[in-house]
Amino acid sequence: MTANIFMIEPRKSKFFDSGNIIFCVLIYVKVPNRRRMAQSTEVFDVVAIGGCVIDLTSYSERVPKPGETLIGTKFAKAFGGKAANQCVMASRLGASTAMIGKVGDDEFGHQYKENFKQNKVNVEYVGITKDAATSVAQITVVKDGQNSIVYFPRANEYLTVEDIRSAENDLIKKVKLMILTYESISEVIHEALKIAKQHGVKTVVNAAPVNPEVSEEIYSLCDVLCVNETEAEAATGQYVESIEQAKSLTQMMLKKGCFSVILTLGSRGAVFASKEQPQAIHVPAKQVTAVDTTGAGDAFLGALAYFMTHHSSLTMKEWIKRSCEVAAMSVQNLGTQTSFPWKEDIPAELFS
């Protein structure tokens, strides 16, 4: 059922003189809320559902040993969260984007909504909750650029099924592509995928972070499932030791119900397979010197969303190849979103 939203606006007034008392009668009419209607007619390329996280990043020569205190080389506070990162990356490449998520009613939360606006991401469905603080992640980055992360969900866990349903008519049913991560609760992920499927919206699920509460039922609901080596191991019980084994694991995941699977391998690129193309294919990545790998997977997925919606005539292999190039650019800079390139900073041939 669609609700009509109205504002009350004064149209004109009449004055009546009754002796020494003057009466003023204002006549009001109901008119449509122009702001809401203008937003509801906008069609986006990409909507992302998942985490809005403040990254608290420490840089050091190495990971401290148990009980050891190290002197770090640098500290930074920045904007992160897998779904939010992917949304920002797609936006920086030129996709029109919107975010569905939750932040706390605190300084971090209000700063995050402003950050979205600066990155041209629509925030109409980024809610603010008073029940939890904005989500944070404690990140340690060592000398060779590798990172380890401890994530605290907080406000992200307050994104509800009702929040998803409220975005169905104005946003989800009209979008070209939906990205989801495992940062949300299981019920939210399932509901979003069901709504997208009902309306024929393409979906990419990033099974990160590892979340045992999310069942394998989602495999058959999404168009593309993307995992890294850790997430592939969690899904199959097997460690990725080689390219050939990575190919084998994509086959295992197809048998679990996936339509398409992408397994990212960091500096080794990615492998992918689908029911239409069951023979797994390896796509190598350009070799670069990494200074910070935080967010590289999100740069890859945000780029993938852009290429899927703006270069639909390309093959999956080409989408992955170009997305790997964008990710390689990101690891050459510090930070997460701060490392993501803008379209004007990328060679034009990547978009031809």
Side-chain angles (χ1 to χ4, degrees), residues 14 60 163 230 232 234 256 270 332:
K14 290 185 178 181
S60 64
D163 293 323
T230 301
K256 288 175 176 283
Q332 297 176 73

Side-chain angles (χ1 to χ4, degrees), residues 170-220:
D170 282 357
L171 178 58
I172 296 175
K173 67 183 289 185
K174 301 175 183 178
V175 78
K176 295 179 183 177
L177 179 72
M178 176 191 290
I179 302 174
L180 301 103
T181 67
Y182 280 11
E183 294 165 303
S184 301
I185 61 174
S186 177
E187 293 82 359
V188 164
I189 299 169
H190 278 78
E191 184 67 16
L193 286 170
K194 289 175 183 176
I195 290 174
K197 199 170 188 68
Q198 177 185 347
H199 295 293
V201 175
K202 294 291 184 184
T203 52
V204 175
V205 170
N206 178 207
V210 172
N211 185 348
E213 294 184 0
V214 182
S215 74
E216 294 182 353
E217 292 176 10
I218 70 116
Y219 293 169
S220 61

